[in-house]
Amino acid sequence: RLQSASQSVTRIYRTTDGGSSWLYVTPIPGSGALIVEIVDAQHWIATDGRNAVRTQNAGASWTQLATRPPLEGLQAISFVDLKHGWAQWTDTLGIFHVSATTDDGGTWHGLAP
């Protein structure tokens, strides 16, 4: 994630030689995703906790998703396939939550507390 005084941009780089060199792949649209989850080579999901974007073609194009409810205080996100994922977040009262999605991160339901 690259950040300046006026904007924040998240970019994805890839390596094919064990990290000796890196190639810029694509920018992620929006104000700067906090977390990027690469489900497989073609399918990626990126979110700042309020909004999410996904690609199904390795970043050539992106689709905007609004997460409902917003996951303010997002700390971690993980997807096991294209539909199912979990998020860890802390609300404004400092309460820790774990939520799940079954629709690419569009909607979330609480698992804990």
Side-chain angles (χ1 to χ4, degrees), residues 38-75:
I38 297 176
V39 180
D40 61 34
Q42 297 294 310
H43 300 90
W44 313 335
I45 298 172
T47 184
D48 63 2
R50 178 166 294 279
N51 295 295
V53 291
R54 72 175 175 200
T55 181
Q56 297 179 349
N57 52 18
S61 63
W62 293 87
T63 302
Q64 180 77 37
L65 301 168
T67 59
R68 293 170 302 280
L71 302 177
E72 299 291 340
L74 185 67
Q75 297 165 333

Side-chain angles (χ1 to χ4, degrees), residues 46-106:
T47 184
D48 63 2
R50 178 166 294 279
N51 295 295
V53 291
R54 72 175 175 200
T55 181
Q56 297 179 349
N57 52 18
S61 63
W62 293 87
T63 302
Q64 180 77 37
L65 301 168
T67 59
R68 293 170 302 280
L71 302 177
E72 299 291 340
L74 185 67
Q75 297 165 333
I77 196 166
S78 179
F79 280 79
V80 296
D81 60 32
L82 299 179
K83 297 284 183 193
H84 303 90
W86 290 267
Q88 172 187 328
W89 58 287
T90 303
D91 66 25
T92 56
L93 300 174
I95 299 172
F96 170 83
H97 297 269
V98 175
S99 296
T101 184
T102 57
D103 63 0
D104 302 339

Side-chain angles (χ1 to χ4, degrees), residues 13-30:
Y13 292 80
R14 70 180 170 129
T15 182
T16 57
D17 57 12
S20 293
S21 63
W22 293 85
L23 177 65
Y24 171 66
V25 178
T26 184
I28 296 174

